[in-house]
Amino acid sequence: MNICVVGAGYVGLVTGSCLADIGHRVICIDNDEGKIRLLNAGQMPIYEPYLEDLVQQNRKRGSLSFSTDLSRGAKDSEVIFICVGTPPLENGEADLSFVEKVIREVGATADSHKLVVEKSTVPVQTGEYINRTLKIYSREEKGHFDVASNPEFLREGSAVLDFFHPDRIVIGVDNRRTEDVLRQIYLPILEGTFRCPVHSSCLPATRPLFFVTDLKSAELIKHASNSFLATKISFINAIGEICERVGADVQKVAEGMGLDPRIGKEFLKAGLGFGGFCFPKDLQAFVCIGEKYGYDFALLKEVEKINKSRIDVAMEKLKKHLWVLRGKTIAFLGLAFKPQTDDIRFAPAMELIRRLREEGCHIRAFDPQAMKKASSEIPEIFYGRDPYEVAEGAEALVLATEWPEFLDLDWDKMRRVMARPFILDGRNFLPRSRVTALGFEYVGMGR
Ligand code: UDX
């Protein structure tokens, strides 16, 4: 099928490359000329495991191309996936101006039937607005449009894996024809007949569920899922506060809770809290949706409040153990909001660094992927070539992102180069007994 993906950010680039890989002819459109130039020169604007190979191979095969020309992309395609950003406005609402602009242009230029699929996270009822806008801007005599919702559940750092092995593919449609087109698009995934770029051999035991519902319910599934996961994280962080006060260990509590299949063990990791461009903005947007329809989503406001307070908790721990913060040198391992990505948007590490700098601390930082992005946002700190260099002379080390390679460091060497061997493990990631046996003072979160 000929598919146009509008927006070459995390969602669009992964979706476009993966759709090309399962047999479609995809044109990815972005209005950022620099990004398209980069992609056409064979370079990547983001780091995401397996993505670069997918982009290179599919470009070479001619199944994937990049352009800034939306009207050409829309004209040449039967299906248009909208993957543009919906960043938060100052009041927390999602800014839909990018979506609206794309829809107006598609409406004005399309000269045959198009299926428009919303993949960006949008408030419920956006599909209705899209439908209306397409009708207004298209000329009556030029075919017509169908609109569907197909929320994405890709996690950064494992987005390619998630595309090929989803638990479910959710679609919101208002007619059978649209359902059939979307089923056809995802058929290789549904039937397990794709060539997996992640595993050398994989026979998925269970096939993903193709979940078909109405447009509004599909739109809500995305916001409800992300808000629920964020609630789990804030819940366990609140439990962690109780654990610390009574001398219990939140990791043990989470393990015990997670054994109940009704609860599940995922998303019960206490620590510095959630970041990234999805959870924080989706929570705020969902609260705004509630307000718009006369419901006070106080539960989600509390989830957000608990999450923001994680940085205060970390600050308090550092103050308690270092006594005076002014003039202290603090080393950071990890800057990205989670491992396997270079994304620093709403990353707890970045916020903690800002707060420590305000207190007069000197920061030295290392991250396997995120240093380029971090240094353009906070250029004033020292970025080291490796963890040993950043630990040199530090009076505290904050582990802010659980990159697996941090487990394999020579921790004895880390201790020797530090001025004071103190670790604040913001992700409860390091083996406490091993590092304390080496002579570190170790402080975790909620234990
Ligand atoms: C999320 C959703 O998982 C995904 O389905 C959706 O499409 C986009 O938003 P992502 O933001 O990439 O994905 O990351 P995720 O793995 O969900 O983690 C989000 C944040 O929560 C990270 O900062 C992570 O460190 C934090 N987290 C996660 C915890 O603090 N504890 C946990 O137990 C799990």
Side-chain angles (χ1 to χ4, degrees):
M1 217 169 283
N2 289 326
I3 297 177
C4 172
V5 173
V6 190
Y10 279 99
V11 177
L13 199 52
V14 173
T15 305
S17 317
C18 293
L19 286 173
D21 207 61
I22 61 170
H24 303 291
R25 205 170 143 264
V26 178
I27 176 160
C28 252
I29 307 290
D30 202 293
N31 62 2
D32 181 338
E33 285 178 16
K35 190 185 278 182
I36 294 299
R37 213 176 305 123
L38 204 69
L39 285 161
N40 277 328
Q43 289 168 37
M44 296 295 289
I46 54 164
Y47 169 74
E48 182 65 39
Y50 306 103
L51 187 60
E52 189 167 356
D53 283 351
L54 278 185
V55 171
Q56 312 299 19
Q57 287 162 12
N58 286 289
R59 271 188 71 225
K60 221 158 130 197
R61 285 200 301 154
S63 52
L64 178 66
S65 59
F66 299 98
S67 169
T68 51
D69 187 350
L70 173 58
S71 53
R72 196 194 102 208
K75 268 192 185 146
D76 292 349
S77 312
E78 299 127 80
V79 184
I80 301 162
F81 279 82
I82 310 294
C83 301
V84 295
T86 51
L89 290 167
E90 236 161 63
N91 65 357
E93 239 177 274
D95 180 356
L96 296 178
S97 57
F98 300 110
V99 175
E100 202 246 4
K101 191 163 173 274
V102 169
I103 296 301
R104 273 192 285 141
E105 194 164 341
V106 170
T109 54
D111 51 8
S112 58
H113 176 269
K114 307 284 169 202
L115 167 57
V116 176
V117 185
E118 40 166 27
K119 214 167 190 21
S120 309
T121 305
V122 289
V124 60
Q125 289 191 331
T126 300
E128 281 183 4
Y129 281 104
I130 291 180
N131 238 324
R132 210 177 303 158
T133 309
L134 285 169
K135 281 207 182 93
I136 294 169
Y137 286 89
S138 61
R139 296 186 201 129
E140 282 303 305
E141 67 272 16
K142 283 186 188 172
H144 69 286
F145 299 92
D146 278 311
V147 175
S149 163
N150 171 214
E152 59 82 23
F153 301 104
L154 308 176
R155 291 163 300 173
E156 286 183 28
S158 56
V160 172
L161 173 83
D162 291 343
F163 182 93
F164 285 92
H165 297 290
D167 323 293
R168 81 286 207 203
I169 293 171
V170 173
I171 62 157
V173 293
D174 56 13
N175 62 61
R176 188 60 204 253
R177 182 183 55 219
T178 306
E179 177 187 334
D180 290 344
V181 173
L182 284 163
R183 194 188 298 275
Q184 203 53 39
I185 289 175
Y186 285 112
L187 208 60
I189 302 293
L190 295 170
E191 294 186 342
T193 54
F194 55 87
R195 179 201 61 88
C196 182
V198 178
H199 309 108
S200 48
S201 73
C202 67
L203 279 177
T206 50
R207 300 262 186 261
L209 199 84
F210 193 64
F211 186 78
V212 185
T213 181
D214 61 282
L215 259 159
K216 285 184 234 174
S217 301
E219 289 168 335
L220 274 174
I221 285 170
K222 175 64 202 249
H223 266 131
S225 302
N226 272 1
S227 303
F228 185 75
L229 292 172
T231 304
K232 270 188 108 174
I233 299 171
S234 280
F235 182 85
I236 201 64
N237 279 326
I239 298 292
E241 288 303 304
I242 306 283
C243 288
E244 278 192 14
R245 286 165 173 75
V246 301
D249 184 338
V250 73
Q251 282 194 291
K252 294 286 168 211
V253 177
E255 203 181 323
M257 285 169 65
L259 292 172
D260 182 335
R262 292 172 304 173
I263 297 173
K265 62 180 171 42
E266 301 295 334
F267 281 73
L268 286 180
K269 278 194 232 103
L272 289 174
F274 55 80
F277 206 52
C278 284
F279 285 177
K281 94 175 162 65
D282 288 358
L283 266 187
Q284 285 182 2
F286 212 17
V287 168
C288 289
I289 291 169
E291 266 159 26
K292 189 171 164 195
Y293 296 101
Y295 179 69
D296 178 12
F297 221 146
L299 172 69
L300 294 188
K301 290 181 190 163
E302 199 56 36
V303 168
E304 196 188 353
K305 198 169 130 203
I306 292 172
N307 195 55
K308 282 196 171 138
S309 74
R310 302 314 293 157
I311 303 300
D312 303 325
V313 169
M315 287 294 289
E316 282 314 310
K317 283 176 189 279
L318 287 168
K319 268 187 198 155
K320 182 175 156 202
H321 290 274
L322 300 183
W323 187 19
V324 173
L325 287 180
R326 179 159 297 279
K328 291 270 158 64
T329 299
I330 302 186
F332 269 74
L333 287 191
L335 296 163
F337 82 98
K338 62 185 258 188
Q340 311 303 343
T341 177
D342 61 349
D343 196 348
I344 51 160
R345 291 174 296 177
F346 296 99
M350 299 298 284
E351 183 56 23
L352 189 52
I353 288 174
R354 273 187 211 101
R355 293 275 296 274
L356 287 167
R357 291 193 67 244
E358 279 164 22
E359 295 280 339
C361 294
H362 307 294
I363 309 292
R364 301 165 71 80
F366 173 79
D367 186 286
Q369 292 293 341
M371 292 206 285
K372 196 163 155 228
K373 287 191 174 153
S375 60
S376 64
E377 205 165 290
I378 310 183
E380 303 87 356
I381 64 173
F382 173 80
Y383 294 92
R385 278 166 308 191
D386 58 48
Y388 307 107
E389 192 182 17
V390 304
E392 240 169 66
E395 281 133 318
L397 184 142
V398 178
L399 188 136
T401 318
E402 65 278 34
W403 284 93
E405 49 263 59
F406 293 156
L407 281 180
D408 303 325
L409 293 177
D410 178 346
W411 282 97
D412 193 40
K413 181 172 169 189
M414 291 289 279
R415 183 187 54 78
R416 287 196 309 271
V417 297
M418 287 179 73
R420 174 181 169 182
F422 171 80
I423 295 176
L424 171 60
D425 187 350
R427 298 291 178 184
N428 292 335
F429 181 60
L430 299 172
R432 181 167 52 180
S433 49
R434 202 175 104 205
V435 288
T436 48
L438 286 172
F440 278 100
E441 289 171 77
Y442 175 96
V443 172
M445 303 291 278
R447 53 206 302 229

